[in-house]
Amino acid sequence: MESQYQPRAIEPQVQKQWADTRAFVAPDASPKPKYYCVSMLPYPSGKLHMGHVRNYTINDALYHFMRMKGFNVLMPMGWDAFGLPAENAAMANGVPPGQWTRDNIAYMKKQCQAMGWAIDWTRELATCSPDYYRWNQWFFLRLWEKGLVYKKTGTVNWDPVDMTVLANEQVIDGRGWRTGAVVEKREIPMWYMRITQYADELVDSLDGLGWPEQVKQMQRNWIGRSYGVEFTLPYDEMTAKRMNDGKQGLVVFTTRADTIMGITFAAVAAEHPLAAEAAKTNPKLAAFLEECKLGGVQEADLATQEKKGLPTGLFVTHPFTKEKVEVWVGNYVLMSYGSGAVMAVPGHDERDFAFAKQYGLEIKPVIDVGGQQYSTDAWQPRYEQRGVNVNSGKYNGLSFDAAIDAVAKDLEALGLGKKRVQYRLRDWGISRQRYWGTPIPIVQCARCGDVAVPDDQLPVVLPDNLVPDGSGSPLAKTPSFFETRCPKCHGPARRDTDTMDTFVDSSWYFLRYTCPGAPSMVDERAQYWAPLDMYIGGIEHAILHLLYARFWTKAMRDLGLAKIDEPFTNLLTQGMVLNHIFSRRTDKGGIEYFAPEELDITADEEGKVQGATARKDGKPVSYDGIGTMSKSKRNGVDPQDMIERYGADTARFYVMQASPPTDTVLWSDESVEGSFKFLRRLWTMVHDHVSAGIVPRYANGELNKELRDLRFKLHRTIDKVADDYGRRMQFNTAIAAVREMLNLYTDMKDRSPVARAVAQEVLEDAVLLLSPIVPHAASALWSELRPGTALLEQPWPAVDASALVQDTIALVVQVNGKLRGHLDVPASASREQVEAMALADVTVQKFLEGKTPKKIIVVPGRLVNIVV
RNA sequence: GCGAGAGUGGCGGAAUUGGUAGACGCACUGGAUUUAGGUUCCAGCGCCGAAAGGCAUGUGGGUUCGAGUCCCUCCUUUCGCACCA
């Protein structure tokens, strides 16, 4: 056996052995129970980053653990290969996105292999391959047939200089990131998927999932199912004439119909038809509507902007009092939620209150606010609480539920409204005016309208050799792509040049892994592996990706393609890996990010970053704080250096011992060395033992206390590590437990034959316990401890119950809740005996100061607390 | 702005069900080994205090025999907000 730990020699050798034996190729049938664990597929941005290392190492550790526990385990891998960065790289370097993407995949695949992850590469897929995205197109058409896909207009960010649609990420403070031009909102036709049709099921089936509670809560809130009343505020005579829209009035939805008597005005979004009508005769309002068009469409921006509004001069009438209520345009009303119009009750809604104060509108309290005086001077949170109606005519004295019931009944009698369920969730707009994505399989014919591309003409292949120039999609400028004939009338027609949102690609790839090469979307192999037993990925995907994938799976089920209701039985949301972010405004008003290694960074005495200068020009760069490692912000850390200096096992060990997987971590490369030292120490321990000759592991025989304690610790540790890996998924504490146990082992003085047998047992089991995290080193060490056997064939070590039997238990003694002493009591001691022993303790006596105990609390196996 | 998290030594973190706060490491300090650097080994390491002991888990309050853990307040910070993936 080598006396030195040499990962660079061991790792390629072990990896070759795995490849030669096809060790990680999972059969599609087995007498063993299946365990399907998947990590969210990476975007091939160029290199792996630490987030990937964390993600796939967690998955890999679970793979090995479950395999040792007797499961048929599958861990696949693929590439989320469509998307914006490839187009940006193409523009920057003049290389077509296809070439750039394939090169990145090749490089990153090598890195994955160097990390030694137990990936079944026979199932690898890339979403930019026609074999994959043809099924996006095929399924899109099936959904269209079922009415689950439809077309309507949607609002996008428009850069008036580049004449192109911008992604939200490309809008910085309301301006285009390349041009610095003020962005405008623009309405364009887009395809939508009817996810709202599944809203109820998407909420209700969350309950049965093994997901973190906060993720389920986020999804519930996102879907935002609320029960309320939808009703019409009838137009007054003049407004009815002006609107002439076939409707009788302004439709609004409220969850607080109990406050209906407090309506003092109504508000509509700037994009609402009523606002447009009013603007025709009101230049000031028209100018305001133009102003509202400026800026991007991001909700965070809309919600934080200053609340502004203007009266429209149009009126509706209160459904009960028939009083005239003026309609205002408010920039805080969202066209995309509900009907784009709200009743305003400033007395009991904080936003309406602020708006009313700003514009001097009436505030009319109609709910008793806890018996206290209502003051319109300043908003109080209690104004929003449910209570008993006052100042509300016939509804006075009713409380929340009764008031809503009464109001809904009266509205219904008038034919103006009724109770309704409302969702915050909106349908999923999937059209993107971009090049690098799945072409939408629709032909636009002047005569026949939108016509589906027939199935036998799928896939509509995306040309992969175009280079975009930043001014719109190159597909729309490539006649050889868009010129076609109508499948129906065979006249000249034009293909839809939009592509699909990349969330489409990631909504079902985990099912395609199971059946590579299938001549259909999925086949019976998917029924064997689905659903996923564990899905692992970043917390940033808690809502959108996970919700879309759940919807897609349910749609596949309803089309007979899947037999599951939910794709992800269990979910592990890994925390983000963070790093410092540095940027600078460009001359044009755009933004340029800098990688930390390109900068000289200054810090204060506490080590807090203050600022930085760029090495390339010596000019200052601003510090933007801490944030997720990302390609676009250029603050990622490449694990390659670590792999080359210390080996993959050290990198794996380091990320797993650093923190629990669900925590965010701020990157620091200072303690990597310690991980390497530990592996070297482990190697030396095994080497020292093996050089003296291996022996059969301890089976039976008399042991002294030192050896009994060591075996006790070992078998406790086996239990704990299994619990940490399998249930808690907290790998840092598993590693700490093994280190503790090995610290006890290295303190062992005994060198007798029976001690050597115990040493053999300890080392074998320690190697097995660590093998999910450091499989290369563990493989090499195992073949030294058990020549002729392979680590991958070993089951999880068994716990010897007899090693866990203890004669005495250590208890803590407290006086008035403060720690005052320790006590060793026989395991069989009764409560009374324990109390007596505690009272007899010398230090305890001292703190009792002769007083009589009022109460003695005994927590079996833990502590005694004496209260005086 | 709204939704969901997080905050414990110089640093990463542990404390799993309300029961010994700081496990296990990193860094640091002292010592041994070494020609030297590195390695390895031993010891120390929350704060105050000579000690006894006291104080301490972002802030301020509360519940409890007992609170890092539960409740309320405020502060800081991360993630998401529908076209980054």
Side-chain angles (χ1 to χ4, degrees), chain A residues 11 82-83 90 137 189 233 242 319 327 351 424 438 469 472 509 516 671 683 694 727 788 806 856:
Chain A
E11 289 178 0
F82 274 140
Q137 297 173 340
L233 288 159
R242 291 272 307 268
V327 181
R351 284 176 311 173
R424 206 187 72 96
T438 302
D469 62 6
Y509 71 99
S671 65
W683 187 274
I694 52 173
R727 181 181 64 88
Q806 274 183 303
I856 301 178

Side-chain angles (χ1 to χ4, degrees), chain A residues 49 54 66 101 117 174 203 219 228 247 375 411 434 477 489 502 515 518 555 652 730 740-741 749 771 782 794 859:
Chain A
H49 57 66
R54 205 179 185 198
M66 294 308 286
T101 303
W117 292 320
V203 176
Q219 292 222 346
K247 291 177 189 159
S375 162
L411 285 168
R434 274 183 247 300
K477 299 174 198 163
C489 72
T502 53
C515 43
R652 298 167 58 115
Q730 191 161 303
E740 248 183 277
M741 191 271 290
K749 304 285 182 294
S771 68
W782 184 263
Q794 304 310 312
V859 181

Side-chain angles (χ1 to χ4, degrees), chain A residues 774-795:
Chain A
V774 288
H776 308 91
S779 282
L781 292 172
W782 184 263
S783 4
E784 299 293 346
L785 287 164
R786 285 278 195 98
T789 63
L791 176 77
L792 282 181
E793 308 308 320
Q794 304 310 312

Side-chain angles (χ1 to χ4, degrees), chain A residues 92-265:
Chain A
N93 313 320
V95 184
Q99 186 58 47
W100 183 83
T101 303
R102 281 189 293 272
D103 288 350
N104 288 349
I105 289 174
Y107 181 78
M108 289 171 75
K109 183 174 178 178
K110 264 195 194 150
Q111 287 190 300
C112 290
Q113 287 166 329
M115 287 302 297
W117 292 320
I119 294 162
D120 181 348
W121 287 105
T122 64
R123 299 164 187 273
E124 179 185 9
L125 66 80
T127 58
C128 65
S129 130
D131 293 338
Y132 182 78
Y133 68 70
R134 72 174 294 167
W135 302 109
N136 291 345
Q137 297 173 340
W138 181 85
F139 195 69
F140 171 92
L141 294 174
R142 299 293 84 74
L143 292 180
W144 195 31
E145 289 162 5
K146 294 266 283 182
L148 287 168
V149 155
Y150 66 96
K151 203 175 194 180
K152 68 166 185 182
T153 61
T155 318
V156 294
N157 304 303
W158 179 257
D159 185 321
V161 172
D162 265 350
M163 305 287 281
T164 191
V165 175
L166 295 180
N168 280 338
E169 187 191 53
Q170 299 170 317
V171 178
I172 316 278
D173 295 338
R175 292 168 181 272
W177 69 341
R178 286 157 53 84
T179 62
V182 174
V183 168
E184 299 164 11
K185 300 180 189 72
R186 182 170 277 214
E187 300 278 319
I188 58 167
M190 303 205 296
W191 291 99
Y192 284 82
M193 290 198 177
R194 221 180 277 280
I195 189 172
T196 51
Q197 189 155 318
Y198 287 82
D200 276 319
E201 196 193 340
L202 287 168
V203 176
D204 294 338
S205 57
L206 282 170
D207 293 338
L209 295 178
W211 289 21
E213 202 45 54
Q214 75 262 27
V215 175
K216 293 202 262 187
Q217 194 55 44
M218 279 192 263
Q219 292 222 346
R220 280 186 204 109
N221 293 343
W222 182 261
I223 295 166
R225 179 162 63 190
S226 56
Y227 301 91
V229 175
E230 186 180 69
F231 67 98
T232 300
L233 288 159
Y235 295 140
D236 75 348
E237 211 172 306
M238 199 251 295
T239 307
K241 216 175 284 171
R242 291 272 307 268
M243 288 303 291
N244 194 25
D245 57 359
K247 291 177 189 159
Q248 301 309 308
L250 193 62
V251 177
V252 298
F253 175 85
T254 178
T255 56
R256 291 301 303 269
D258 58 318
T259 65
I260 195 166
M261 300 309 284
I263 293 178
T264 58
F265 65 101

Side-chain angles (χ1 to χ4, degrees), chain A residues 525-547:
Chain A
R525 289 172 292 178
Q527 317 308 342
Y528 170 70
W529 288 108
L532 276 64
D533 298 284
M534 182 59 70
Y535 194 39
I536 306 167
I539 183 69
E540 73 274 21
H541 295 292
I543 295 174
L544 291 179
H545 160 59
L546 291 172
L547 195 61

Side-chain angles (χ1 to χ4, degrees), chain A residues 23-92:
Chain A
F24 305 128
V25 176
D28 293 312
S30 166
K32 299 176 186 172
K34 67 100 186 174
Y35 189 82
Y36 185 25
C37 54
V38 180
S39 293
M40 291 179 188
L41 82 180
Y43 180 80
S45 57
K47 298 167 178 175
L48 293 183
H49 57 66
M50 291 315 301
H52 293 132
V53 172
R54 205 179 185 198
N55 199 167
Y56 307 124
T57 303
I58 293 166
N59 197 344
D60 197 56
L62 278 178
Y63 174 96
H64 285 286
F65 177 68
M66 294 308 286
R67 180 171 171 145
M68 291 170 90
K69 282 286 199 178
F71 287 80
N72 179 30
V73 193
L74 169 59
M75 171 177 173
M77 178 63 103
W79 308 97
D80 191 12
F82 274 140
L84 206 48
E87 293 187 47
N88 294 332
M91 267 190 276

